Amino acid sequence: MSDRKTISETLHDGIGMVFDVDEVLYEEGTGHHQLSLIQNPVFGKVLVLDGAVQVTSRDEFIYHEMLAHVPLAAHENPADVLIIGGGDCGLAEEVLKHKRVGTLTQVEIDVSVLDFSREHFADFNAPVFEDPRFQVEIADGAVFAAETDKRFDVILVDSTDPTGPGAVLFTTDFYRNLKRILRPGGIVVSQNGVPFLQPEEFSKAMKGLSSVFETASCYLVSVPTYFGGHMTLGWSSDDPKALSVSEATLTERMAGIETRYYTPAHHRAAFALPRFIETLLEDAVNT
């Protein structure tokens, strides 16, 4: 019998993903979450929150680049950006690569997650905390969206899956509040899960978004950590023109920004959906 140490992701019923543990770097119940950080020989540092993998140091750039650069490159003037969630600050790092961004507000419910990430993921998030454009609000994201007087050009919802404290970030009331604080022509992008394994969650989210925004669609990103096929990122706006920005314009807006996954050509291709996801999307927005 093997005596190797392992940790299992328990997000999906009936299947799991097992990580070998070279070392347990950190483990704690934070009050809001059960948090573990391990060292894995393939993915490097792996952050597990309430039994679900959140981020790894090996492939974080894939998810964060696509969540940030697609809406920011598509928007004419993304001066004020809001992140709800995103406690590892990898998304903030990508957002702040854009010189057109004037302010970035990040709302995180648990200050200990930010403190933890600053200490353990400094290899990719250290520049964030030195950037004067970056400010943090320690608050419930849903409450912030309902109560704030601030307005934003781009809103990025980097949430956990729709269970526990994160469930409220997948409700129609929350989407209405996002629209309330979104400036005309603004864009909302949200984490909408893996449709092959989470079809009901995906459909519910897209139905809610389409009931609030004139344009509700999604695009794809393939992240090795988030197994089960393509992950979808929901795209919502009242300005359909942002979906048809030319590759030449995207290239111009991304000038000087180094990426390892995102390209303007891939930006446009990511909206081409496999048939089963396209069908789920059409059924959700048309019912």
Side-chain angles (χ1 to χ4, degrees):
M1 180 181 293
S2 173
D3 61 356
R4 68 174 183 168
K5 294 181 179 179
T6 63
I7 190 170
S8 299
E9 181 175 56
T10 58
L11 177 61
H12 305 292
D13 292 338
I15 55 173
M17 188 171 181
V18 178
F19 293 84
D20 283 356
V21 178
D22 287 343
E23 182 181 359
V24 177
L25 302 173
Y26 189 90
E27 197 162 33
E28 182 185 4
T30 68
H32 292 284
H33 301 290
Q34 180 63 41
L35 182 150
S36 300
L37 181 70
I38 66 164
Q39 184 73 32
N40 173 265
V42 176
F43 286 101
K45 293 178 181 178
V46 180
L47 177 63
V48 183
L49 206 60
D50 299 330
V53 174
Q54 301 301 304
V55 66
T56 80
S57 57
R58 175 78 183 278
D59 66 3
E60 58 82 20
F61 71 95
I62 300 173
Y63 172 74
H64 291 141
E65 285 187 15
M66 289 298 284
L67 185 53
H69 299 318
V70 172
L72 291 174
H75 198 287
E76 288 184 349
N77 181 31
D80 299 301
V81 178
L82 171 66
I83 295 174
I84 293 179
D88 57 72
C89 294
L91 178 58
E93 181 218 10
E94 297 299 332
V95 169
L96 291 169
K97 290 179 180 179
H98 290 259
K99 302 302 183 185
R100 298 187 300 145
V101 171
T103 69
L104 171 58
T105 301
Q106 180 162 329
V107 179
E108 170 58 49
I109 193 171
D110 193 340
V111 67
S112 66
V113 173
L114 283 172
D115 293 341
F116 167 88
S117 296
R118 187 171 188 173
E119 177 180 356
H120 292 283
F121 289 112
D123 50 328
F124 62 77
N125 68 23
V128 170
F129 299 98
E130 305 300 323
D131 196 309
R133 297 173 293 168
F134 180 67
Q135 56 184 325
V136 173
E137 298 269 358
I138 302 301
D140 183 304
V143 174
F144 178 89
E147 296 180 352
T148 185
D149 293 328
K150 296 180 179 180
R151 298 295 182 266
F152 302 93
D153 301 296
V154 174
I155 299 174
L156 307 174
V157 184
D158 185 8
S159 64
T160 56
D161 287 281
T163 57
V168 69
L169 303 183
F170 291 80
T171 63
T172 302
D173 284 345
F174 174 64
Y175 299 147
R176 290 194 187 101
N177 286 324
L178 294 185
K179 182 172 181 176
R180 182 186 72 84
I181 63 176
L182 192 67
R183 290 192 179 119
I187 300 168
V188 173
V189 171
S190 53
Q191 186 274 111
N192 278 12
V194 177
F196 187 82
L197 295 177
Q198 300 168 301
E200 293 181 3
E201 292 91 336
F202 169 78
S203 296
K204 182 179 179 181
M206 292 311 307
K207 184 175 182 178
L209 290 167
S210 67
S211 72
V212 173
F213 293 93
E214 180 179 331
T215 299
S217 186
C218 67
Y219 60 99
L220 306 177
V221 58
S222 183
V223 186
T225 300
Y226 308 138
F227 75 99
H230 296 291
M231 167 172 272
T232 52
L233 298 173
W235 171 284
S236 306
S237 178
D238 288 333
D239 181 8
K241 297 192 300 296
L243 279 172
S244 57
V245 177
S246 71
E247 188 174 329
T249 297
L250 297 174
T251 299
E252 180 181 350
R253 292 174 180 172
M254 291 294 295
I257 298 175
E258 294 186 5
T259 62
R260 289 186 285 165
Y261 188 91
Y262 174 97
T263 69
H266 186 63
H267 174 134
R268 292 175 60 83
F271 286 90
L273 305 178
R275 178 71 70 190
F276 82 96
I277 298 179
E278 184 179 57
T279 299
L280 284 172
L281 175 63
E282 290 174 351
D283 289 346
V285 303
N286 292 324
T287 57

